[in-house]
């Protein structure tokens, strides 16, 4: 008998803690982490140490940037449940440990995370300081634009010198009536256009064939690089001799060569074949180092690891060249490396399909000043699932690249890019829902997509708040104030800089006249136990009474008309006392509840009296409780 009683008692306790957890879950889902943590901890103190409760407690503190408490609860979850803990919680635990300076422990759990989520990109990060930098949020926004000078054919490969934009195009120059069989477009020629800076905008106009004598031919020319003094141009051309393409094999393959031209009286002339070209392999895509002492290029010659590789050769003061060598820094792979460009900071940009990419050619960069630097994918929007190549920039934050991504004008198109500090703001007013008056000292939170509280503030006397936002992010704005129900709204920022969003929130007062007014406390038919949704609402009563320590209330409960009047009177009384008992269980002194009385079906709210046919919803309206303030 004793064993049976103990079993029933344990079952009762388990049921109560499970119900407590469900109420906590509802607050957690509304981002009310403090209230949720209070309820989860009460459940834990009563013996509820499930994985759900422990990790939710960790989440409550993690989302409120309290790593010390988050460490405690995540740590308990890890200790008790080990590999049953979901990888996402392991990852949050790693971040928590890092923020506390526990790097050795963090590395241990990073290995666990890697073993579980091998394909997850985060699993590749071994340096937690790098992860910290990546996870801190990047406020830069990159806008791209398809250039107006693009044609319905291929246009690509930019270079700028003295406000002249040089590029390759297959738009047709009348130098040849032949087409390139690969894509049935005219052969490529080098074009130039004038760049004008007009305030905040750049205009490109006056597109014409290169001012040249012998550079453009009836065959392919592309990929320009010009020395700082503007006197020497390197470019790529089909291997030709006396105006004819030289074919290397029976399939008609024509290789590429790099040539240089000299500017003579404003005209590119004196075209020369470079000495490290050859008729049996291709050499192309020239790029100069910032000091013009090195020439980078692409070749499929023997000795490289891939289909095409990037090489570098010294340019001597007397104009001669050294021996070409493969580029360092793990640039080359078994795939294709193409279109090198070196900016003024000695950072090499190139395209590859051999490194991890989004598909086909992607643009990468590597710092040539740093021996330990390895190729880094520039990611979107520079890269897409298509060919992205020919990166060029002559000033910080702006430049060009080429792509055959959908939405362009021709086969390949030139895109400009602009790196902006993209930020937005959200501002609004917190109002009393009843009076529409602004609420001072209301607590407002900016919550991120993961549920983490990013920023918080208190409103001024005019009820106003303001937060700065990152672009292209989803947020929740939540407001709360003592003696009011909270309110929240969702917001998504877009990709436009300096946009202002307006979000007003209305908080419904809990004290109206001589009552604490909450959403109806409903009961199941013929039952008096407090449902989860009822407990969620009753927490508002608890909050009000905690904020008014001298407040005394009385409780009235009512039933619907089904059943006898005498039975309903008893049922409503049980409901009133169950409501009272729940409030007391939450730490409110019993003396502060003057009475808890049931009134049965004597005060129906609608027409559903005895004998009247009504829906369940109509009957439920009558199953309710009121909370009258006796002393405040």
């Amino acid at each position: 008998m004793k064993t049976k009683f103990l079993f029933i008692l344990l079952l009762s306790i388990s049921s109560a803690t499970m119900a407590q957890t469900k109420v906590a879950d509802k607050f957690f889902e509304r981002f009310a982490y403090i209230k949720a943590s209070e309820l989860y901890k009460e459940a834990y103190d009563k013996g509820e140490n499930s994985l759900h409760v422990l990790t939710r407690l960790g989440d409550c503190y993690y989302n409120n940037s309290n790593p010390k408490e988050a460490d405690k609860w995540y740590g308990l979850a890890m200790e008790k449940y080990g590999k049953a803990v979901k990888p996402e919680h392991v990852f949050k635990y790693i971040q928590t440990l890092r923020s506390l300076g526990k790097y050795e422990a963090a590395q241990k759990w990073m290995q666990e995370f890697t073993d579980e989520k091998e394909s997850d990109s985060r699993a590749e990060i071994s340096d937690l300081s790098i992860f910290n930098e990546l996870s801190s949020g990047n406020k830069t926004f990159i806008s791209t634009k398809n250039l107006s000078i693009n044609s319905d054919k291929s246009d690509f490969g930019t270079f700028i010198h003295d406000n002249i934009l040089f590029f390759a195009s297959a738009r047709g120059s009348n130098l040849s009536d032949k087409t390139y069989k690969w894509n049935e477009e005219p052969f490529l020629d080098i074009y130039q256009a004038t760049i004008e800076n007009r305030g905040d905008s750049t205009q490109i106009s006056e597109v014409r064939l290169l001012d040249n004598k012998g550079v453009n031919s009836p065959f392919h020319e592309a990929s320009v690089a010009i020395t700082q003094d503007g006197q020497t141009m390197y470019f790529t051309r089909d291997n030709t001799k006396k105006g004819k393409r030289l074919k290397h094999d029976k399939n008609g393959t024509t290789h590429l060569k790099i040539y240089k031209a000299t500017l003579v009286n404003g005209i590119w002339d004196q075209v020369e074949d470079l000495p490290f070209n050859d008729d049996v392999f291709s050499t192309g895509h020239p790029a100069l180092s910032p000091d013009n002492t090195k020439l980078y290029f692409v070749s499929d010659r023997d000795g490289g690891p891939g289909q095409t590789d990037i090489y570098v050769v010294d340019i001597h003061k007397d104009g001669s060249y050294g021996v070409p060598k493969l580029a360092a820094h793990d640039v080359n792979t078994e795939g294709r490396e193409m279109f090198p460009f070196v900016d003024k900071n000695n950072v090499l940009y190139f395209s590859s399909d051999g490194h991890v990419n989004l598909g086909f050619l992607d643009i990468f960069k590597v710092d040539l000043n740093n021996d330990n630097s390895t190729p880094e994918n520039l990611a979107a929007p520079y890269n897409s699932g298509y060919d992205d190549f020919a990166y060029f920039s002559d000033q910080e934050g702006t430049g060009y690249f080429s792509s055959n991504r959908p939405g362009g004008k021709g086969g390949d198109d030139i895109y400009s890019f602009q790196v902006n500090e993209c930020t937005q703001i959200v501002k609004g007013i917190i109002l009393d829902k009843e009076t529409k008056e602004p609420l001072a000292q209301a607590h407002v939170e900016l919550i991120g997509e993961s549920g983490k509280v990013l920023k918080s503030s208190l409103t001024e006397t005019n009820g106003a708040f303001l937060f700065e936002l990152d672009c292209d992010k989803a947020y929740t704005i939540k407001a709360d104030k003592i003696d009011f129900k909270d309110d929240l709204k969702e917001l998504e920022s877009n990709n436009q800089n300096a946009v202002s969003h307006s979000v007003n929130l209305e908080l419904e007062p809990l004290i109206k006249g001589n009552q604490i007014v909450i959403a109806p406390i409903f009961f199941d038919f013929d039952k008096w136990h407090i449902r989860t949704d009822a407990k969620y609402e009753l927490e508002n009563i608890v909050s009000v009474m905690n904020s008014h320590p001298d407040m005394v209330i009385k409780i009235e409960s009512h039933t619907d008309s089904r059943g006898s009047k005498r039975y309903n009177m008893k049922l409503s009384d049980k409901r009133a006392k169950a409501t009272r008992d729940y409030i007391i269980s939450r730490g409110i002194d019993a003396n502060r509840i003057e009475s808890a009385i049931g009134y049965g079906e004597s005060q129906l709210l609608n027409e559903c009296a005895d004998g009247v046919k009504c829906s369940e919803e109509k009957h439920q309206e009558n199953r309710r409780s009121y909370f009258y303030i006796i002393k405040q």
Side-chain angles (χ1 to χ4, degrees), residues 4 17 38 176 185 195 324 340 361 399 417 447 574:
K4 181 178 179 182
T17 55
E38 178 187 331
S176 173
E185 287 189 351
I195 297 178
L361 291 173
F417 69 83
I447 301 169
K574 289 179 179 179

Side-chain angles (χ1 to χ4, degrees), residues 13-25 35-50 52-54 56-57 73 535 582 585-586:
I13 293 172
S14 176
S15 177
T17 55
M18 285 179 64
Q20 185 92 337
T21 300
K22 288 181 180 179
V23 179
D25 288 342
K35 176 66 76 172
S37 65
E38 178 187 331
L39 293 165
Y40 285 130
K41 279 200 286 187
E42 280 195 12
Y44 175 81
D45 291 338
K46 294 174 182 176
E48 179 58 83
N49 60 355
S50 66
H52 176 77
V53 166
L54 294 177
R56 273 291 172 88
L57 272 165
W73 296 106
K535 290 180 181 179
Y582 177 79
S585 75
R586 294 287 294 114

Side-chain angles (χ1 to χ4, degrees), residues 124-342:
E124 299 176 3
I125 299 169
S126 57
D127 185 347
L128 288 171
S129 65
I130 294 176
F131 177 76
N132 182 46
E133 181 180 345
L134 294 174
S135 65
S136 64
N138 188 354
K139 292 187 177 181
T140 60
F141 176 76
I142 303 158
S143 58
T144 62
K145 182 181 179 181
N146 189 291
L147 292 192
S148 61
I149 63 171
N150 286 315
S151 68
D152 60 355
K153 302 297 190 296
S154 289
D155 303 278
F156 66 90
T158 54
F159 192 94
I160 296 174
H161 185 81
D162 281 347
N163 291 324
I164 300 296
L165 175 71
F166 300 87
F167 66 99
S169 178
R171 65 189 60 200
S173 62
N174 297 320
L175 293 176
S176 173
D177 58 0
K178 296 179 181 180
T179 57
Y180 184 40
K181 299 302 181 183
W182 186 305
N183 56 10
E184 295 300 327
E185 287 189 351
F187 282 87
L188 295 164
D189 284 309
I190 299 171
Y191 286 76
Q192 64 185 57
T194 302
I195 297 178
E196 292 183 76
N197 295 314
R198 300 177 182 175
D200 294 334
S201 64
T202 299
Q203 302 294 325
I204 303 175
S205 59
E206 300 178 6
V207 177
R208 63 188 186 277
L209 270 171
L210 181 73
D211 295 331
N212 75 104
K213 185 185 292 184
V215 174
N216 283 323
S217 74
F219 303 105
H220 285 311
E221 288 81 30
S223 301
V224 169
I226 299 175
T227 55
Q228 290 179 355
D229 62 12
Q231 298 302 300
T232 303
M233 171 190 286
Y234 295 91
F235 66 96
T236 306
R237 176 195 278 169
D238 280 338
N239 186 9
T240 62
K241 188 173 184 180
K242 294 182 179 180
K244 294 184 178 180
R245 298 171 76 201
L246 296 181
K247 298 180 180 180
H248 171 61
D249 54 35
K250 63 182 180 180
N251 296 320
T253 302
T254 297
H255 291 296
L256 303 175
K257 287 186 175 182
I258 296 177
Y259 297 80
K260 76 172 182 178
T262 302
L263 190 65
V264 180
N265 297 322
I267 302 296
W268 292 105
D269 198 359
Q270 301 178 7
V271 176
E272 299 178 27
D273 182 342
L274 295 191
F276 47 84
N277 292 318
D278 201 290
D279 292 341
V280 298
F281 53 74
S282 285
T283 304
H285 302 176
L288 288 161
S289 63
D291 60 4
N292 290 182
T293 62
K294 297 180 185 299
L295 183 70
Y296 292 82
F297 63 90
V298 175
S299 180
D300 61 356
R301 64 188 63 199
D302 291 340
Q307 300 170 47
T308 58
D309 299 297
I310 295 176
Y311 289 79
V312 59
V313 62
D314 290 330
I315 303 175
H316 299 142
K317 290 183 178 180
D318 61 2
S320 63
Y321 300 89
V323 178
K325 299 178 182 179
L326 284 164
H329 297 273
D330 298 324
V331 165
N332 294 309
T333 69
E334 290 78 8
R336 297 179 299 161
E337 278 68 53
M338 308 172 75
F339 295 97
F341 166 74
V342 185

Side-chain angles (χ1 to χ4, degrees), residues 560-607:
D560 59 37
S561 63
R562 292 176 292 183
S564 70
K565 287 182 172 58
R566 182 179 179 186
Y567 176 79
N568 285 336
M569 192 65 72
K570 290 183 178 180
L571 179 62
S572 63
D573 201 60
K574 289 179 179 179
R575 288 175 174 174
K577 289 174 172 54
T579 302
R580 176 201 61 191
D581 292 344
Y582 177 79
I583 296 172
I584 293 171
S585 75
R586 294 287 294 114
I588 301 300
D589 192 318
N591 293 325
R592 297 178 62 195
I593 303 177
E594 181 185 80
S595 61
I597 300 171
Y599 289 86
E601 58 182 278
S602 63
Q603 298 179 23
L604 299 177
L605 292 177
N606 53 36
E607 72 279 10

Side-chain angles (χ1 to χ4, degrees), residues 397-450:
T398 63
Y400 303 88
F401 66 92
S402 303
S403 179
N404 64 352
R405 64 188 61 182
K409 297 176 182 177
D412 296 312
D413 279 351
I414 301 170
Y415 291 81
S416 63
F417 69 83
Q418 176 80 44
V419 180
N420 305 303
E421 286 291 324
C422 186
T423 58
Q424 301 178 4
I425 62 169
V426 56
K427 58 184 178 180
I429 299 174
I430 309 303
L431 301 169
D432 184 315
K433 189 173 183 179
E434 295 289 325
T435 67
K436 306 303 180 184
E437 293 294 320
L439 291 174
Q441 295 299 296
H443 179 241
V444 191
E445 293 178 332
L446 178 70
I447 301 169
E449 291 180 80
S450 67

